[in-house]
Amino acid sequence: MRAFFNKRRKLTAALFLIITTAGIFAFNENDKYFQIAKNLDIFAAFYRELNTYYVDDLPPEKVMRKGIEAMLEETDPFTDFVSEENLDDLKFMATGKYGGVGASINTSGEWTSITDVYEGSPMDRAGVKPGDIIVSMDGKSSKNVAQEEISRQLKGAAGTPLDMVFRNPVTGVETPKKIIREEINVKAVSYAGILKNDIGYIKMTQFTENSGAMVRKAVEQLKQTNPALKGMILDLRGNPGGLLDEAVVVANIFVDKNKLIVSTKGKVKNWDRNYETSEQPVDLHLPLTVLTNHSSASAAEIVAGSVQDLDRGLVIGQRSYGKGLVQTTRQLPYNTKLKVTTAKYYTPSGRCIQAIDYSHRNDDGSVDYVPDSLRKSFTTAGGRAVKDGGGIEPDAKVDPTYISQVAITLIRKQFIFDYATSYYYRHPKIAAAGSFALSESDFEDFERYLENKDYSYKTRSEEALDSFKSTAKKEKYYDAIAKELETLEAKMKHDKKQDLLKNKTEIKRLLEEEIVNRYYLQRGRIIRSLEWDNEVNTAIDLLHNPSKYKQLLAVAK
């Protein structure tokens, strides 16, 4: 969603100044800059006349926002206008830092609850737990306050106090707490550890300042604690990217010095650049796997693409997002910025993995993915075939895991979250995150907990049948097939209790992850989830099978 000014700004005078200055130059009719100046003149004259003679007042800021929004519709979604009040969001994207209390929230009904507490944060030190309900902040009730507003109030300059009252979700006891905001640094490496005794694993969530150094340190520590490592897993799933320079630093951990990682090319040729590794790697030979999914984008794709193109390791999972565009920021008046796409980037083999062609639009303004017929082939350093125009294709594909409709409903209605909260207050201690498991009696207790809860839903088959019935009625076929549809609907009628049992394993895992989060926070949730993670287990199997690993890296004969 586009972000625009919320404060009144008198932009008209500035706009006229730009136009007047541009008007003193003489341009050739065919010159692009003449066309720009000409249309700016027309735009200014149009706005002046409209503002002067239109029957009602036209708020200048609102009208200008519409103009900016219209211009941005002609660009890609990564080009954006950043208002003064949203500069902190831009800073967070680059640094991973913000002023706040260190917690995530969710609003359900009248109240907002804490869903996650960051380890070592002000909230954590104050003893706030997931599930706690925010009753008030600085003396003002939080009842029926929108989640966005609660979030805004939790943020603030480091060192500023926030008087809060929390309600225990089980006992109902209300407790006041004074929280002192700090600079929260969201760690780029959310977890690093050893799997199956000999496989290193690093989960990287973003490419912010110094994130490459964090990954390097994690790799060095894993190697030091276990010199007999047989392989490394770098998990970039869900990683939206960030700073290009940090992607080069991460690749350099496993790639030799002075190797090309990525190059950028754009309209301003002076800005074209090759990015090469500049440091000695931590390990050139340790077998490496990089995990990606459709949400792995930008800098994450640079790392995955360079590892693949240089045949340094294997990419495992699903095709990545396909963002081959580079953005820079330009300063604008009144402490605002333009985040603008200035270049495309190319992996070492010379391919651009941009999946959507924003430069060519359909008549209705829509854009399309680059068709397979137009995707060009390139070769890795070892001669393997790779393609451009569609993200990073994994060397070992793993089908994505989809959760059932009943599980989605239990999550959406917060029944899994609420049960985990009640479980926490009934069990002072649990086993270690990696070994904790719900017993059969625990799951039966969860079933009893749901007995009076409404978690009704429609299966995807039922939704498809409803759509078919609607179409049949529109096309006058319904009366002829009504009985057959009723019979089919009766057969498809799902039983919530049976769906719960049919998807027991999945729901049990979701419960375990949420419960572990109460005791060991985000780190515990990650550790518990790794046991049944298909992509992670595929990577472990490949790293334990050197011949298969080498076979996937070899050129097909």
Side-chain angles (χ1 to χ4, degrees):
M1 190 169 62
R2 307 290 191 185
F4 299 103
F5 280 113
N6 289 324
K7 297 179 181 178
R8 269 291 177 93
R9 299 294 190 196
K10 296 181 180 178
L11 299 179
T12 312
L15 179 63
F16 283 130
L17 176 63
I18 295 169
I19 294 164
T20 303
T21 305
I24 67 174
F25 294 99
F27 295 97
N28 184 286
E29 184 69 29
N30 295 323
D31 194 305
K32 180 179 180 181
Y33 293 100
F34 171 78
Q35 293 297 326
I36 293 173
K38 170 185 171 183
N39 283 285
L40 281 172
D41 274 334
I42 293 171
F43 179 82
F46 177 85
Y47 177 72
R48 181 178 61 246
E49 297 300 311
L50 184 67
N51 184 65
T52 302
Y53 297 111
Y54 185 68
V55 64
D56 296 320
D57 285 339
L58 295 172
E61 182 184 349
K62 185 176 181 180
V63 173
M64 288 304 167
R65 285 185 208 160
K66 291 290 186 181
I68 292 172
E69 184 176 25
M71 283 189 282
L72 289 173
E73 288 299 322
E74 296 300 313
T75 69
D76 59 59
F78 313 111
T79 296
D80 207 353
F81 174 77
V82 184
S83 62
E84 184 177 13
E85 61 270 23
N86 285 306
L87 288 178
D88 285 344
D89 293 338
L90 189 65
K91 177 184 176 183
F92 174 71
M93 291 171 62
T95 66
K97 299 175 182 178
Y98 70 96
V101 297
S104 297
I105 60 174
N106 180 66
T107 300
S108 179
E110 297 177 327
W111 298 100
T112 297
S113 300
I114 303 296
T115 56
D116 284 281
V117 176
Y118 304 152
E119 188 174 356
S121 69
M123 284 286 206
D124 186 24
R125 293 198 302 274
V128 178
K129 301 295 181 183
D132 285 355
I133 299 165
I134 301 174
V135 177
S136 66
M137 292 189 288
D138 286 337
K140 295 181 180 180
S141 174
S142 298
K143 185 177 181 180
N144 291 322
V145 177
Q147 182 171 320
E148 293 77 9
E149 179 60 21
I150 297 285
S151 179
R152 187 192 66 77
Q153 292 179 39
L154 290 174
K155 295 177 181 177
T160 57
L162 181 62
D163 291 315
M164 303 183 70
V165 175
F166 295 94
R167 180 186 302 132
N168 184 293
V170 174
T171 65
V173 174
E174 295 185 358
T175 306
K177 294 180 183 289
K178 182 181 285 291
I179 310 292
I180 306 299
R181 298 181 182 93
E182 293 180 359
E183 183 177 73
I184 305 299
N185 188 356
V186 179
K187 296 179 181 178
V189 176
S190 57
Y191 176 72
I194 303 293
L195 308 181
K196 305 296 184 181
N197 298 318
D198 57 8
I199 301 296
Y201 172 85
I202 296 173
K203 173 69 176 176
M204 188 180 184
T205 58
Q206 56 193 348
F207 286 81
T208 49
E209 288 179 359
N210 300 316
S211 57
M214 296 177 197
V215 177
R216 176 179 280 263
K217 182 179 179 181
V219 173
E220 290 172 341
Q221 289 179 341
L222 290 175
K223 284 173 59 66
Q224 184 178 357
T225 56
N226 196 327
L229 280 183
K230 291 184 178 178
M232 183 70 65
I233 300 172
L234 178 60
D235 191 348
L236 300 181
R237 292 173 299 175
N239 189 316
L243 302 179
L244 183 149
D245 288 333
E246 294 299 325
V248 178
V249 175
V250 172
N252 195 177
I253 296 168
F254 306 102
V255 175
D256 208 355
K257 187 177 180 179
N258 299 324
K259 290 288 186 181
L260 177 66
I261 299 300
V262 64
S263 58
T264 60
K265 299 176 185 177
K267 184 188 295 184
V268 183
K269 297 305 175 186
N270 289 340
W271 291 359
D272 291 355
R273 184 178 169 188
N274 292 333
Y275 293 81
E276 297 181 348
T277 52
S278 58
E279 304 291 334
Q280 293 298 329
V282 174
D283 197 309
L284 272 178
H285 306 291
L286 184 68
L288 172 66
T289 56
V290 179
L291 307 187
T292 63
N293 61 12
H294 191 61
S295 297
S296 305
S298 189
E301 294 176 291
I302 291 175
V303 173
S306 62
V307 167
Q308 189 176 63
D309 282 5
L310 298 172
D311 294 306
R312 177 58 187 87
L314 296 174
V315 178
I316 295 173
Q318 298 92 47
R319 181 193 290 191
S320 64
Y321 182 83
K323 181 181 180 289
L325 306 175
V326 181
Q327 286 74 47
T328 57
T329 57
R330 306 291 296 171
Q331 188 65 47
L332 298 176
Y334 299 98
N335 200 27
T336 62
K337 289 181 183 291
L338 167 66
K339 181 165 71 74
V340 57
T341 298
T342 54
K344 294 181 179 180
Y345 72 75
Y346 300 81
T347 63
S349 66
R351 56 181 171 147
C352 178
I353 53 85
Q354 177 62 26
I356 300 177
D357 184 5
Y358 294 103
S359 62
H360 296 90
R361 293 181 178 271
N362 300 318
D363 292 339
D364 61 358
S366 62
V367 291
D368 295 321
Y369 283 90
V370 176
D372 288 343
S373 59
L374 295 181
R375 296 179 64 192
K376 298 177 183 177
S377 292
F378 296 78
T379 55
T380 68
R384 293 187 299 147
V386 290
K387 286 190 174 184
D388 68 357
I392 304 297
E393 291 276 7
D395 302 302
K397 294 183 180 179
V398 179
D399 291 335
T401 300
Y402 299 105
I403 64 175
S404 63
Q405 201 70 17
V406 62
I408 291 173
T409 304
L410 293 173
I411 293 171
R412 182 171 54 82
K413 294 196 173 184
Q414 286 199 248
F415 293 140
I416 286 178
F417 180 88
D418 290 342
Y419 181 81
T421 300
S422 66
Y423 187 97
Y424 171 77
Y425 285 102
R426 288 184 284 114
H427 299 80
K429 293 182 180 180
I430 62 170
S435 56
F436 171 73
L438 280 178
S439 66
E440 285 300 313
S441 61
D442 287 332
F443 193 82
E444 290 170 2
D445 182 58
F446 178 65
E447 291 180 87
R448 287 191 294 272
Y449 165 79
L450 290 176
E451 283 179 358
N452 298 319
K453 303 290 191 300
D454 176 19
Y455 58 100
S456 58
Y457 59 93
K458 286 188 175 182
T459 64
R460 293 183 178 91
S461 298
E462 287 175 318
E463 290 174 350
L465 182 59
D466 286 345
S467 177
F468 178 76
K469 285 165 64 177
S470 177
T471 302
K473 289 176 181 178
K474 289 178 182 178
E475 296 182 349
K476 314 288 188 201
Y477 290 118
Y478 182 76
D479 290 341
I481 57 174
K483 289 185 178 180
E484 288 85 349
L485 288 177
E486 289 173 5
T487 301
L488 181 59
E489 189 172 24
K491 289 181 178 180
M492 289 172 54
K493 197 81 174 174
H494 69 281
D495 183 290
K496 291 192 300 180
K497 182 76 171 179
Q498 288 303 312
D499 279 359
L500 199 67
L501 296 175
K502 185 170 64 176
N503 296 284
K504 178 179 177 179
T505 299
E506 172 188 71
I507 294 169
K508 195 164 174 281
R509 290 172 176 177
L510 292 170
L511 282 166
E512 289 173 4
E513 289 177 29
E514 193 62 53
I515 290 170
V516 163
N517 183 52
R518 295 295 184 279
Y519 299 84
Y520 304 107
L521 305 181
Q522 184 187 41
R523 176 183 175 87
R525 186 196 294 272
I526 294 172
I527 292 172
R528 189 70 200 106
S529 69
L530 290 175
E531 181 181 334
W532 43 75
D533 191 311
N534 289 338
E535 287 91 341
V536 168
N537 288 325
T538 298
I540 291 173
D541 290 344
L542 281 170
L543 293 170
H544 280 160
N545 189 340
S547 60
K548 180 66 174 177
Y549 177 87
K550 292 177 182 177
Q551 180 184 343
L552 288 173
L553 278 175
V555 180
K557 300 297 184 182

